[in-house]
């Protein structure tokens, strides 16, 4: 990997500091922050649709009825990190695992950020009752070596979603579905006003802090005990190979620490606002799939270890310029390490050319902002970099 390239911090006079801080405050409130009215609208319809969907999933599949525990949020909307319209929602459907199976379960490290779930031969089957019925119905998902097949669990969940949608009356809502990575994406149209949104549904098994893995970083001592999850995320190029060993893709489960991450970033005053600004910059410059929102969040999680809470209470402009510099420097290495296991590169599935493009795009933005602010020649350069042409025109109309 290339060596990290360090950039000079952007230095502002106290007067420019005040002006730019005001600009960022207005950009954030006008063009980035999701309106509460919109949040309320979509949250209401999301709740109604999930209720309908889950009820029908239970009707069409006995195993789902037996093992579905709860739906839990995942993704940017629930962390107040969403930009643009709140029309994409991520939900993990947590599945119950019988106590006897949990007692016989080994969570084995595999490739970085992935594990295997192995049910040992010492599994004691209950003589009767709900747990026995569940274990019997889960048998087809467990291979001869005792490994729970992630592909079969994911495919099963997809089939249950499809069957449920086919029996829901298309009156208040119209439902469609499509496959999308680890998720089954449910597309919903609200018939009353023709608005639409999407729900990404992912099956998950839940574990407690007591099950914390030795191969990831230590549980953060400043946050409360919260559950973590594994999800059947499809493996990307080379993710199933580590130290010369190749793992069959159907054996691998991706680690998910959304609840820990939510607790870590909660209350850090400007962190979320600045994170959303960098997402806005990304959307304005590159295809967002080249640099995921999660990858950007990971840079913030890693930087949090270098500062106390007071840092995030500094001015908005100071935090923004600092984190833009940190992100650009990290991209110069062509590597963004997973916070929980830095052996895993979140840019690993991108080509050399794509990673180079990301770095040079952000470097160009950083240099342009630096030159415009430090010379005083372009006081609106940050707005120009963050906003679309139409948004920048609107911003300028209200500035003069």
């Amino acid at each position: 990997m290339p060596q990290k390239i360090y950039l000079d911090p952007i230095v502002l006079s106290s007067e420019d500091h005040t002006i730019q801080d005001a600009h960022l405050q207005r950009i954030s409130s006008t063009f980035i922050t999701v309106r509460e009215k919109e949040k309320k609208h979509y949250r209401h319809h999301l709740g109604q649709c999930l209720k309908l969907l889950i009820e029908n999933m239970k009707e069409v599949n006995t195993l789902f009825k037996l093992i579905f525990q709860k739906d839990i949020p995942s993704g940017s909307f629930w962390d107040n990190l969403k930009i643009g319209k709140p029309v994409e929602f991520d939900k993990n459907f947590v599945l119950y695992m019988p106590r006897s199976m949990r007692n016989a379960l080994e969570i084995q490290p595999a490739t970085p950020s992935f594990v295997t779930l192995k049910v040992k031969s010492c599994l004691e089957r209950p003589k009767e009752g709900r747990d026995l019925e569940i274990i019997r119905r889960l048998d087809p998902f467990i291979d001869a070596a005792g490994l729970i097949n992630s592909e079969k669990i994911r495919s099963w969940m997809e089939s249950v979603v499809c069957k449920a949608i086919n029996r829901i009356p298309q009156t208040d809502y119209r439902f469609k579905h499509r496959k999308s990575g680890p998720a089954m994406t449910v597309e919903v149209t609200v018939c009353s006003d023709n608005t639409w949104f999407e729900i990404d549904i992912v099956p998950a098994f839940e574990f407690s802090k007591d099950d914390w893995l030795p191969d990831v970083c230590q549980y953060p001592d400043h946050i409360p005990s919260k559950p973590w999850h594994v999800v059947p995320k499809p493996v990307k190029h080379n993710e199933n190979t580590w130290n010369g060993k190749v793992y069959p893709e159907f054996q691998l489960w991706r680690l998910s620490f959304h609840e820990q991450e939510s607790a870590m970033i909660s209350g850090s005053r400007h962190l979320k606002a600045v994170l959303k600004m960098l997402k806005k910059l990304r959307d304005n410059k590159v295809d967002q799939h080249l640099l995921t929102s999660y990858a950007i969040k990971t840079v913030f999680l890693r930087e949090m270890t270098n500062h106390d809470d007071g840092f995030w209470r500094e001015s908005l402009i100071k935090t923004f310029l600092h984190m833009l510099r940190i992100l650009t420097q990290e991209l110069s290495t062509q590597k963004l390490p997973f916070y929980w296991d830095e052996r895993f590169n979140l840019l690993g599935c991108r080509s050399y050319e794509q990673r180079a493009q990301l770095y040079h795009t952000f470097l160009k933005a950083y240099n342009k902002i630096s030159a415009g602010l430090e010379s005083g020649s372009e006081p609106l350069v940050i707005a120009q970099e963050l906003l679309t042409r139409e948004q920048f025109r609107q911003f300028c109309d209200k500035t003069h």
Side-chain angles (χ1 to χ4, degrees):
M1 289 289 178
Q3 293 293 312
K4 182 183 290 188
I5 296 173
Y6 290 90
L7 303 172
D8 291 331
I10 298 172
V11 180
L12 301 180
S13 68
S14 58
E15 181 181 357
D16 287 340
H17 187 284
T18 302
I19 292 171
Q20 294 303 323
D21 206 58
H23 285 172
L24 277 188
Q25 295 279 5
R26 190 150 63 85
I27 289 170
S28 178
S29 62
T30 306
F31 301 106
I32 297 178
T33 301
V34 179
R35 301 286 181 263
E36 284 301 322
K37 185 178 180 180
E38 281 191 306
K39 289 183 185 179
K40 184 177 180 180
H41 170 83
Y42 286 104
R43 196 183 287 118
H44 166 74
H45 289 295
L46 173 67
Q48 296 297 312
C49 289
L50 281 172
K51 182 179 178 181
L52 262 177
L53 185 61
I54 291 168
E55 286 175 351
N56 281 274
M57 289 174 73
K58 290 178 179 179
E59 288 292 326
V60 301
N61 191 271
T62 302
L63 177 59
F64 182 81
K65 184 176 183 179
L66 286 169
I67 68 174
F68 174 74
Q69 282 191 293
K70 57 185 175 181
D71 64 277
I72 61 170
S74 178
S76 59
F77 176 81
W78 311 103
D79 284 335
N80 194 28
L81 295 175
K82 183 68 181 171
I83 64 175
K85 278 192 171 294
V87 293
E88 297 171 346
F89 301 94
D90 299 316
K91 283 284 188 173
N92 286 351
F93 278 18
V94 176
L95 307 178
Y96 169 76
M97 188 179 290
R99 182 183 298 274
S100 58
M101 185 177 286
R102 286 290 296 269
N103 291 340
L105 188 72
E106 285 184 344
I107 308 171
Q108 300 176 328
T111 64
S113 84
F114 287 89
V115 296
T116 62
L117 302 180
K118 182 176 182 178
V119 181
K120 295 181 288 186
S121 57
C122 63
L123 169 64
E124 294 183 7
R125 294 174 178 256
K127 293 181 179 180
E128 58 183 17
R130 172 173 174 258
D131 279 8
L132 177 60
E133 178 68 12
I134 291 173
I135 290 173
R136 283 175 175 167
R137 290 180 179 271
L138 284 176
D139 265 347
F141 301 97
I142 303 173
D143 66 18
L147 294 166
I148 302 178
N149 189 306
S150 58
E151 288 183 4
K152 286 185 177 180
I153 292 287
R154 186 174 67 250
S155 297
W156 165 76
M157 178 68 81
E158 290 168 357
S159 70
V160 178
V161 170
C162 293
K163 290 175 183 176
I165 286 176
N166 289 338
R167 75 188 302 272
I168 298 176
Q170 307 284 305
T171 50
D172 296 330
Y173 302 101
R174 292 194 299 273
F175 292 87
K176 294 182 181 179
H177 56 79
R178 71 175 193 274
K179 290 182 65 172
S180 179
M184 171 58 78
T185 299
V186 177
E187 303 172 4
V188 180
T189 300
V190 182
C191 297
S192 60
D193 59 13
N194 213 36
T195 56
W196 68 274
F197 58 91
E198 297 180 342
I199 316 167
D200 281 352
I201 296 172
V202 179
F205 286 114
E206 184 172 276
F207 300 97
S208 70
K209 183 180 177 182
D210 292 338
D211 303 306
W212 198 252
L213 300 171
D215 292 83
V216 301
C217 72
Q218 185 177 353
Y219 194 97
D221 57 11
H222 61 288
I223 64 171
S225 176
K226 290 180 174 292
W228 56 279
H229 302 87
V230 297
V231 297
K233 181 176 181 179
V235 178
K236 296 178 182 177
H237 178 63
N238 286 337
E239 286 183 347
N240 65 326
T241 304
W242 183 250
N243 285 341
K245 182 174 181 179
V246 179
Y247 292 83
E249 295 180 11
F250 62 82
Q251 294 180 355
L252 297 177
W253 293 78
R254 177 69 185 270
L255 299 172
S256 176
F257 302 105
H258 181 261
E259 297 202 39
Q260 286 74 25
E261 293 164 2
S262 295
M264 290 169 67
I265 65 176
S266 176
S268 297
R269 185 179 176 192
H270 288 317
L271 186 149
K272 292 184 179 183
V274 171
L275 200 161
K276 288 188 283 188
M277 289 174 192
L278 293 185
K279 287 172 63 175
K280 177 71 172 166
L281 177 62
R282 173 207 59 191
D283 289 354
N284 211 27
K285 298 295 182 181
V286 297
D287 184 335
Q288 64 176 268
H289 295 101
L290 288 181
L291 183 64
T292 65
S293 297
Y294 186 78
I296 297 175
K297 183 171 81 167
T298 293
V299 174
F300 280 73
L301 291 172
R302 288 170 58 82
E303 187 64 10
M304 287 183 77
T305 64
N306 297 324
H307 305 280
D308 59 20
D309 286 345
F311 171 80
W312 305 102
R313 299 183 183 279
E314 300 275 0
S315 66
L316 199 56
I317 183 62
K318 181 177 179 180
T319 311
F320 170 77
L321 294 176
H322 176 84
M323 288 309 302
L324 175 58
R325 180 168 62 90
I326 294 298
L327 175 58
T328 306
Q329 289 177 171
E330 291 298 317
L331 290 172
S332 74
T333 68
Q334 297 202 353
K335 182 179 181 181
L336 292 181
F338 184 40
Y339 175 80
W340 303 98
D341 185 348
E342 61 182 21
R343 299 173 302 168
F344 181 63
N345 180 11
L346 294 171
L347 297 181
C349 59
R350 307 287 178 249
S351 68
Y352 173 84
E353 291 75 18
Q354 288 173 326
R355 285 178 273 174
Q357 177 194 351
L358 282 172
Y359 167 59
H360 289 295
T361 298
F362 277 83
L363 178 63
K364 182 178 179 181
Y366 185 82
N367 286 339
K368 185 174 179 180
I369 289 172
S370 177
L373 293 184
E374 293 190 334
S375 68
S377 60
E378 294 185 75
L380 300 182
V381 64
I382 294 180
Q384 195 171 32
E385 291 297 289
L386 288 180
L387 304 177
T388 64
R389 287 186 179 181
E390 176 58 24
Q391 289 172 339
F392 182 63
R393 184 192 64 76
Q394 294 174 27
F395 180 84
C396 290
D397 286 346
K398 293 182 179 180
T399 301
H400 299 297

